[in-house]
């Protein structure tokens, strides 16, 4: 692929600091890499937990997408977009909007028009809880251990919480369930898309990720799927992430 620009997009419950190793990896391969923070997520995770960003609870799903569009519109070329979790859905929207030459969704969230299984609903229910209004959500250490860090001991998980966990906007999560902007047009021709799943993902199962990928209908558009054995929802940060980054690199090179 001729484009040498990558935008790495973080999902919910973490911020752009989670991409540091990936940024270095792709830069070493000759890419220019951007790692924007979603609105209300700029800064050190510990400081964000101590002082809620004033823009955080006002942020919705469309705000997250358009924040990336604003960046892309300043770039000299259309980028490759790579997103994790909620940002997997952001990637789908950016590709649908013709803002990227290729997209990679890692353990991506579903669009509004793909119904989530009960296991997913159970994990995200505390986030979308309508009785909490627009208060910020911060998962407990136990929540993170189940949802993100289930490949680690509880002690290791608690350390990871301290380094990466951030407060989140409930509005973003709710918008993916309620707003038409969170739908995806699966009939529309699109640039190449790769969906990657972790076998041990406790939020979005590998089977569910495959279901999302299988909804695309245009036979002349590339839609690929790859599951990695033994990987959790934290597959971008846990041991062995280089294998996944390398697979993505190889896939991109095959796209021409």
């Amino acid at each position: 692929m001729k484009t040498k620009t990558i935008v790495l997009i973080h999902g919910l419950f973490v911020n752009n600091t989670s991409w540091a190793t990936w940024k270095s990896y792709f830069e070493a391969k000759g890419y220019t890499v951007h790692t924007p923070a979603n609105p209300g997520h700029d800064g050190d995770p510990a400081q964000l937990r101590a002082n809620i960003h004033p823009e955080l609870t006002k942020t919705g799903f469309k705000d997250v997408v358009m924040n990336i569009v604003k960046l892309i519109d300043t770039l000299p070329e259309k980028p490759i977009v790579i997103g994790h979790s909620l940002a997997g859905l952001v990637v789908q929207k950016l590709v649908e909007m013709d803002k990227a030459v290729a997209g990679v969704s890692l353990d991506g969230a579903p669009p509004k028009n793909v119904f989530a299984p009960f296991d997913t609903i159970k994990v995200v229910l505390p986030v979308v809880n309508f009785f909490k209004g627009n208060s910020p959500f911060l998962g407990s250490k136990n929540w993170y251990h189940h949802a993100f860090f289930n490949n680690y001991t509880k002690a290791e998980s608690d350390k990871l919480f301290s380094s990466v966990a951030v407060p989140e906007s409930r509005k973003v999560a709710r918008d993916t369930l309620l707003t038409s902007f969170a739908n995806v047009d699966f009939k529309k021709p699109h640039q190449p898309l790769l969906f990657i799943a972790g076998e041990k993902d406790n939020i979005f199962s590998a089977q569910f990720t495959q279901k999302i990928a299988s909804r695309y209908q245009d036979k002349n558009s590339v839609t690929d799927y790859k599951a990695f054995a033994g990987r959790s929802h934290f597959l971008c940060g846990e041991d062995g992430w280089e294998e996944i980054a390398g697979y993505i690199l190889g896939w991109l090179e095959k796209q021409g």
Side-chain angles (χ1 to χ4, degrees):
M1 187 162 286
K2 294 176 182 178
T3 295
K4 299 300 285 186
T5 304
I6 292 176
V7 179
L8 297 172
I9 312 164
H10 70 86
L12 303 184
F13 320 117
V14 299
N15 75 349
N16 56 330
T17 60
S18 62
W19 284 123
T21 54
W22 285 65
K23 186 176 191 295
S24 298
Y25 177 90
F26 282 110
E27 285 175 342
K29 304 295 183 181
Y31 289 86
T32 298
V33 183
H34 300 269
T35 56
N38 292 339
H41 289 76
D42 210 355
D44 174 71
Q47 290 300 316
L48 290 171
R49 292 195 300 272
N51 301 285
I52 305 296
H53 193 289
E55 294 301 312
L56 179 69
T57 57
K58 302 174 186 176
T59 299
F61 176 65
K62 190 172 184 178
D63 299 317
V64 173
V65 174
M66 297 313 294
N67 182 60
I68 305 299
V69 169
K70 185 178 178 181
L71 166 65
I72 289 173
D73 286 347
T74 69
L75 301 177
E77 61 182 359
K78 282 185 187 179
I80 298 153
V81 290
I82 301 174
H84 173 249
S85 195
L86 182 279
L89 176 54
V90 175
V91 163
Q92 290 182 262
K93 291 300 296 184
L94 292 170
V95 168
E96 180 180 274
M97 296 164 73
D98 198 28
K99 292 294 181 179
V101 298
V104 181
S105 169
L106 295 138
D107 288 340
K112 179 177 179 286
N113 50 332
V114 178
F115 189 73
F118 178 71
D119 285 349
T120 295
I121 295 169
K122 189 165 58 174
V123 176
V124 301
L125 197 58
V127 190
V128 300
N129 188 341
F130 290 94
F131 295 105
K132 296 291 186 178
N134 285 333
S135 63
F137 171 83
L138 179 60
S140 66
K141 289 180 178 178
N142 286 337
W143 184 88
Y144 270 87
H145 186 222
H146 173 72
F148 268 74
F149 309 135
N150 48 297
N151 273 349
Y152 292 85
T153 66
K154 183 59 166 59
E156 290 168 336
S157 173
D158 288 351
K159 286 183 180 179
L160 286 166
F161 174 94
S162 297
S163 63
V164 307
V166 301
E168 198 47 76
S169 165
R170 296 181 191 274
K171 180 172 169 50
V172 175
R174 290 172 184 160
D175 281 358
T176 64
L177 302 175
L178 300 174
T179 66
S180 60
F181 184 76
N183 286 316
V184 165
D185 182 356
F186 289 109
K187 295 180 180 179
K188 184 179 180 180
H190 59 82
Q191 297 289 358
L193 275 169
L194 171 63
F195 289 82
I196 288 179
E199 179 211 3
K200 292 186 176 180
D201 188 329
N202 281 343
I203 303 181
F204 306 122
S205 71
Q207 293 83 0
F208 186 43
T209 296
Q210 189 171 30
K211 177 183 177 181
I212 296 169
S214 71
R215 291 290 298 274
Y216 282 91
Q217 297 174 28
D218 185 67
K219 299 193 184 313
N220 295 316
S221 300
V222 173
T223 308
D224 289 331
Y225 167 81
K226 170 70 175 177
F228 282 85
R231 308 306 173 90
S232 72
H233 193 70
F234 192 55
L235 83 179
C236 296
E238 66 191 10
D239 294 343
W241 65 266
E242 298 95 337
E243 180 187 1
I244 299 170
Y247 183 89
I248 292 170
L249 190 64
W251 179 84
L252 289 169
E253 289 171 351
K254 289 177 183 175
Q255 304 314 310

